[in-house]
Amino acid sequence: GAGVSQTPSNKVTEKGKYVELRCDPISGHTALYWYRQSLGQGPEFLIYFQGTGAADDSGLPNDRFFAVRPEGSVSTLKIQRTERGDSAVYLCASSPGRSSYNEQFFGPGTRLTVL
Amino acid sequence: EDQVTQSPEALRLQEGESSSLNCSYTVSGLRGLFWYRQDPGKGPEFLFTLYSAGEEKEKERLKATLTKKESFLHITAPKPEDSATYLCAVSGGSEKLVFGKGTKLTVNP
């Protein structure tokens, strides 16, 4: 079956611009996660959705970052006034339910470059 | 705060030379320890979940083990296609995964 998909695969933008990153989870998965991975580091948690609601957004670095999942399926990560330090690979993952015990399945990521 | 430390940072092996990767962790109430494989330019690919000390799981040339403080990923007779970065993560009192920095494995033919 289809895995997690993310678009675009690459995004280059200028400092100060607004960007949107999209994630399509595995069909039927209720839990969705966003992580950020910098070069040479492991993924770092940003936000977790259970259904349509953000159950844990403690990893969002500041109020320039926002994510939505209006219908409980596709999610969009939104970054306002981008900074060079936002450059990283943004990973999305989904899980069948509460993931404390269940594995998360990752998409290929969106590589964001802020010039 | 949950923490994961992986060692070594990088490992070079000859084809057929078995070895182990280490993942040390501190977590309040372990719910699961996860191993992932990540190839360059790709997202992490799930390998194993371990839930309690003493548990072991195997898949082809890989075997993962778990104690109360650490996990090992044993690689038996590796092949060049096993070259990748191996990530360890833990799930504790919240839904998020906390990852280590990974071990970059290179297997030379």
Side-chain angles (χ1 to χ4, degrees):
Chain A
V4 178
S5 62
Q6 292 185 246
T7 54
S9 55
N10 281 284
K11 177 70 177 179
V12 180
T13 190
E14 294 180 342
K15 180 174 179 290
K17 298 290 188 181
Y18 168 83
V19 297
E20 289 190 351
L21 312 179
R22 176 187 167 109
C23 172
D24 271 280
I26 293 171
S27 178
H29 281 195
T30 59
L32 185 145
Y33 306 79
W34 285 98
Y35 292 83
R36 178 167 71 173
Q37 187 174 26
S38 300
L39 194 62
Q41 304 294 313
E44 181 183 26
F45 171 78
L46 295 176
I47 187 169
Y48 154 60
F49 288 89
Q50 184 60 249
T52 60
D56 182 356
D57 64 358
S58 62
L60 295 178
N62 52 58
D63 61 6
R64 295 187 298 106
F65 289 75
F66 189 70
V68 296
R69 194 185 185 200
E71 298 179 354
S73 178
V74 170
S75 176
T76 304
L77 178 65
K78 309 180 181 192
I79 310 174
Q80 299 177 321
R81 304 183 304 279
T82 52
E83 299 177 357
R84 294 195 178 87
D86 299 334
S87 296
V89 175
Y90 289 81
L91 294 165
C92 177
S94 70
S95 179
R98 295 181 68 83
S99 80
S100 300
Y101 302 94
N102 297 319
E103 54 270 19
Q104 297 178 21
F105 297 93
F106 283 81
T110 294
R111 180 175 298 278
L112 175 66
T113 303
V114 182
L115 301 177
Chain B
E1 183 179 333
D2 300 343
Q3 287 191 322
V4 174
T5 303
Q6 292 188 244
S7 61
E9 291 185 5
L11 180 63
R12 283 187 175 273
L13 300 173
Q14 288 297 124
E15 184 171 2
E17 180 186 1
S18 302
S19 188
S20 296
L21 313 182
N22 177 264
C23 170
S24 297
Y25 65 91
T26 55
V27 63
S28 53
L30 180 71
R31 297 189 181 182
L33 184 140
F34 304 83
W35 282 98
Y36 287 84
R37 168 191 171 128
Q38 187 172 29
D39 292 297
K42 304 274 182 75
E45 175 190 348
F46 171 75
L47 293 174
F48 302 109
T49 308
L50 301 168
Y51 295 108
S52 57
E55 190 175 1
E56 298 184 353
K57 288 193 176 173
E58 289 188 63
K59 179 181 179 180
E60 297 182 358
R61 295 177 292 283
L62 301 177
K63 183 169 85 170
T65 62
L66 181 65
T67 73
K68 289 186 178 180
K69 294 182 179 180
E70 57 192 351
S71 176
F72 291 93
L73 186 65
H74 306 277
I75 304 177
T76 302
K79 298 182 177 182
E81 52 262 43
D82 294 322
S83 297
T85 294
Y86 290 85
L87 295 165
C88 173
V90 296
S91 172
S94 66
E95 300 298 317
K96 66 183 181 184
L97 293 181
V98 175
F99 283 86
K101 294 183 178 181
T103 293
K104 183 176 181 180
L105 174 66
T106 304
V107 182
N108 296 313

Short mmCIF file of all heavy atoms in Angstrom, two decimals, chain A residues 32-37 42-49 55-61 104, chain B residues 94-99:
data_model
loop_
_atom_site.label_atom_id
_atom_site.label_comp_id
_atom_site.label_asym_id
_atom_site.label_seq_id
_atom_site.Cartn_x
_atom_site.Cartn_y
_atom_site.Cartn_z
N LEU A 32 -0.55 11.63 13.59
CA LEU A 32 0.36 12.24 12.62
C LEU A 32 1.36 13.11 13.36
O LEU A 32 1.00 13.82 14.30
CB LEU A 32 -0.42 13.08 11.60
CG LEU A 32 0.38 13.68 10.44
CD1 LEU A 32 -0.46 13.69 9.15
CD2 LEU A 32 0.91 15.04 10.77
N TYR A 33 2.61 13.05 12.93
CA TYR A 33 3.70 13.74 13.61
C TYR A 33 4.53 14.54 12.60
O TYR A 33 4.72 14.10 11.47
CB TYR A 33 4.65 12.73 14.28
CG TYR A 33 3.96 11.77 15.19
CD1 TYR A 33 3.27 10.68 14.69
CD2 TYR A 33 3.96 11.97 16.56
CE1 TYR A 33 2.61 9.81 15.52
CE2 TYR A 33 3.32 11.09 17.41
CZ TYR A 33 2.63 10.02 16.88
OH TYR A 33 1.98 9.16 17.71
N TRP A 34 5.07 15.64 13.07
CA TRP A 34 6.08 16.38 12.32
C TRP A 34 7.37 16.40 13.14
O TRP A 34 7.34 16.63 14.36
CB TRP A 34 5.63 17.82 12.07
CG TRP A 34 4.59 17.99 11.00
CD1 TRP A 34 3.24 18.12 11.18
CD2 TRP A 34 4.82 18.07 9.60
NE1 TRP A 34 2.62 18.26 9.96
CE2 TRP A 34 3.56 18.26 8.97
CE3 TRP A 34 5.96 18.03 8.79
CZ2 TRP A 34 3.41 18.39 7.59
CZ3 TRP A 34 5.81 18.16 7.41
CH2 TRP A 34 4.54 18.33 6.84
N TYR A 35 8.47 16.14 12.44
CA TYR A 35 9.80 16.22 13.01
C TYR A 35 10.67 17.09 12.11
O TYR A 35 10.38 17.27 10.92
CB TYR A 35 10.45 14.83 13.11
CG TYR A 35 9.81 13.89 14.11
CD1 TYR A 35 8.68 13.15 13.77
CD2 TYR A 35 10.35 13.70 15.38
CE1 TYR A 35 8.09 12.28 14.69
CE2 TYR A 35 9.79 12.82 16.29
CZ TYR A 35 8.65 12.13 15.93
OH TYR A 35 8.08 11.26 16.84
N ARG A 36 11.77 17.57 12.66
CA ARG A 36 12.75 18.33 11.88
C ARG A 36 14.11 17.67 12.09
O ARG A 36 14.48 17.34 13.22
CB ARG A 36 12.78 19.79 12.36
CG ARG A 36 13.79 20.65 11.66
CD ARG A 36 13.54 22.11 11.95
NE ARG A 36 13.86 22.50 13.31
CZ ARG A 36 13.84 23.76 13.73
NH1 ARG A 36 13.52 24.73 12.89
NH2 ARG A 36 14.14 24.05 14.97
N GLN A 37 14.85 17.49 10.99
CA GLN A 37 16.15 16.84 11.07
C GLN A 37 17.21 17.73 10.44
O GLN A 37 17.16 18.02 9.25
CB GLN A 37 16.13 15.47 10.38
CG GLN A 37 17.40 14.66 10.58
CD GLN A 37 17.31 13.25 10.03
OE1 GLN A 37 16.55 12.98 9.10
NE2 GLN A 37 18.08 12.33 10.59
N GLY A 42 19.65 13.41 14.73
CA GLY A 42 18.44 12.62 14.63
C GLY A 42 17.23 13.53 14.49
O GLY A 42 17.31 14.73 14.76
N PRO A 43 16.10 12.97 14.06
CA PRO A 43 14.87 13.79 13.98
C PRO A 43 14.49 14.36 15.33
O PRO A 43 14.65 13.70 16.36
CB PRO A 43 13.83 12.79 13.48
CG PRO A 43 14.62 11.73 12.77
CD PRO A 43 15.89 11.61 13.55
N GLU A 44 13.98 15.59 15.30
CA GLU A 44 13.56 16.30 16.52
C GLU A 44 12.07 16.60 16.43
O GLU A 44 11.61 17.18 15.44
CB GLU A 44 14.36 17.60 16.63
CG GLU A 44 14.07 18.44 17.84
CD GLU A 44 14.87 19.74 17.82
OE1 GLU A 44 15.24 20.20 16.74
OE2 GLU A 44 15.11 20.30 18.89
N PHE A 45 11.33 16.21 17.45
CA PHE A 45 9.88 16.33 17.47
C PHE A 45 9.42 17.79 17.39
O PHE A 45 9.98 18.68 18.05
CB PHE A 45 9.35 15.71 18.76
CG PHE A 45 7.89 15.96 19.03
CD1 PHE A 45 6.92 15.23 18.35
CD2 PHE A 45 7.49 16.91 19.96
CE1 PHE A 45 5.58 15.44 18.60
CE2 PHE A 45 6.14 17.13 20.22
CZ PHE A 45 5.19 16.39 19.54
N LEU A 46 8.38 18.01 16.59
CA LEU A 46 7.76 19.33 16.51
C LEU A 46 6.34 19.33 17.07
O LEU A 46 6.01 20.08 17.98
CB LEU A 46 7.73 19.83 15.06
CG LEU A 46 9.08 20.09 14.39
CD1 LEU A 46 8.87 20.47 12.92
CD2 LEU A 46 9.86 21.16 15.13
N ILE A 47 5.46 18.48 16.48
CA ILE A 47 4.05 18.51 16.84
C ILE A 47 3.40 17.17 16.54
O ILE A 47 3.84 16.44 15.65
CB ILE A 47 3.32 19.65 16.09
CG1 ILE A 47 1.88 19.83 16.57
CG2 ILE A 47 3.37 19.43 14.58
CD1 ILE A 47 1.22 21.11 16.05
N TYR A 48 2.36 16.84 17.31
CA TYR A 48 1.64 15.57 17.18
C TYR A 48 0.14 15.85 17.10
O TYR A 48 -0.41 16.62 17.90
CB TYR A 48 1.98 14.70 18.38
CG TYR A 48 0.96 13.66 18.79
CD1 TYR A 48 0.57 12.65 17.92
CD2 TYR A 48 0.42 13.66 20.07
CE1 TYR A 48 -0.35 11.69 18.31
CE2 TYR A 48 -0.49 12.70 20.47
CZ TYR A 48 -0.88 11.72 19.58
OH TYR A 48 -1.79 10.76 19.97
N PHE A 49 -0.52 15.22 16.13
CA PHE A 49 -1.97 15.30 15.97
C PHE A 49 -2.58 13.93 16.25
O PHE A 49 -2.10 12.90 15.79
CB PHE A 49 -2.35 15.68 14.53
CG PHE A 49 -2.07 17.10 14.17
CD1 PHE A 49 -0.85 17.46 13.64
CD2 PHE A 49 -3.03 18.07 14.35
CE1 PHE A 49 -0.58 18.78 13.30
CE2 PHE A 49 -2.79 19.39 14.00
CZ PHE A 49 -1.57 19.74 13.48
N ALA A 55 -2.48 17.44 19.70
CA ALA A 55 -2.45 16.93 21.06
C ALA A 55 -1.19 17.36 21.81
O ALA A 55 -1.18 17.40 23.04
CB ALA A 55 -2.56 15.41 21.06
N ASP A 56 -0.12 17.66 21.07
CA ASP A 56 1.14 18.06 21.70
C ASP A 56 1.91 18.91 20.69
O ASP A 56 2.35 18.39 19.67
CB ASP A 56 1.96 16.83 22.10
CG ASP A 56 3.27 17.17 22.81
OD1 ASP A 56 3.60 18.37 22.93
OD2 ASP A 56 3.98 16.25 23.23
N ASP A 57 2.04 20.21 20.98
CA ASP A 57 2.81 21.08 20.09
C ASP A 57 4.03 21.64 20.80
O ASP A 57 4.56 22.69 20.44
CB ASP A 57 1.95 22.22 19.53
CG ASP A 57 1.44 23.15 20.62
OD1 ASP A 57 1.73 22.90 21.81
OD2 ASP A 57 0.76 24.13 20.28
N SER A 58 4.50 20.91 21.81
CA SER A 58 5.59 21.40 22.65
C SER A 58 6.93 21.52 21.92
O SER A 58 7.84 22.19 22.40
CB SER A 58 5.77 20.47 23.86
OG SER A 58 6.11 19.17 23.44
N GLY A 59 7.06 20.89 20.76
CA GLY A 59 8.31 20.95 20.03
C GLY A 59 8.41 22.09 19.04
O GLY A 59 9.49 22.34 18.49
N LEU A 60 7.33 22.81 18.80
CA LEU A 60 7.40 23.94 17.88
C LEU A 60 8.35 24.99 18.46
O LEU A 60 8.16 25.43 19.60
CB LEU A 60 6.02 24.54 17.65
CG LEU A 60 5.01 23.64 16.94
CD1 LEU A 60 3.67 24.33 16.81
CD2 LEU A 60 5.52 23.21 15.56
N PRO A 61 9.35 25.43 17.70
CA PRO A 61 10.39 26.30 18.27
C PRO A 61 9.90 27.70 18.64
O PRO A 61 10.43 28.29 19.58
CB PRO A 61 11.45 26.35 17.18
CG PRO A 61 10.80 25.90 15.94
CD PRO A 61 9.68 25.03 16.31
N GLN A 104 6.10 4.43 14.31
CA GLN A 104 5.73 5.52 13.42
C GLN A 104 6.37 5.27 12.07
O GLN A 104 7.54 4.88 11.98
CB GLN A 104 6.21 6.85 14.00
CG GLN A 104 5.55 7.19 15.34
CD GLN A 104 6.05 8.49 15.94
OE1 GLN A 104 6.58 9.34 15.23
NE2 GLN A 104 5.87 8.65 17.24
N SER B 94 5.24 10.46 26.83
CA SER B 94 4.44 11.21 25.86
C SER B 94 4.42 10.45 24.55
O SER B 94 5.03 9.40 24.43
CB SER B 94 5.01 12.61 25.66
OG SER B 94 6.28 12.54 25.06
N GLU B 95 3.72 10.99 23.58
CA GLU B 95 3.56 10.30 22.30
C GLU B 95 4.75 10.48 21.37
O GLU B 95 4.88 9.76 20.39
CB GLU B 95 2.30 10.81 21.60
CG GLU B 95 1.03 10.58 22.38
CD GLU B 95 0.77 9.10 22.60
OE1 GLU B 95 0.96 8.32 21.67
OE2 GLU B 95 0.39 8.74 23.73
N LYS B 96 5.62 11.45 21.65
CA LYS B 96 6.70 11.72 20.72
C LYS B 96 7.83 10.70 20.86
O LYS B 96 7.99 10.07 21.91
CB LYS B 96 7.27 13.12 20.97
CG LYS B 96 7.95 13.27 22.32
CD LYS B 96 8.43 14.69 22.54
CE LYS B 96 9.13 14.84 23.88
NZ LYS B 96 9.53 16.25 24.14
N LEU B 97 8.60 10.56 19.79
CA LEU B 97 9.82 9.77 19.84
C LEU B 97 11.00 10.71 20.08
O LEU B 97 11.07 11.79 19.51
CB LEU B 97 10.05 9.02 18.52
CG LEU B 97 9.05 7.91 18.18
CD1 LEU B 97 9.44 7.25 16.87
CD2 LEU B 97 8.99 6.89 19.30
N VAL B 98 11.92 10.27 20.95
CA VAL B 98 13.17 11.00 21.18
C VAL B 98 14.28 10.18 20.54
O VAL B 98 14.49 9.02 20.92
CB VAL B 98 13.43 11.20 22.68
CG1 VAL B 98 14.78 11.86 22.89
CG2 VAL B 98 12.32 12.05 23.29
N PHE B 99 14.97 10.77 19.58
CA PHE B 99 15.98 10.07 18.79
C PHE B 99 17.39 10.37 19.27
O PHE B 99 17.67 11.47 19.79
CB PHE B 99 15.90 10.51 17.32
CG PHE B 99 14.78 9.89 16.54
CD1 PHE B 99 13.52 10.45 16.55
CD2 PHE B 99 15.00 8.74 15.79
CE1 PHE B 99 12.47 9.89 15.83
CE2 PHE B 99 13.97 8.17 15.05
CZ PHE B 99 12.71 8.74 15.08
#
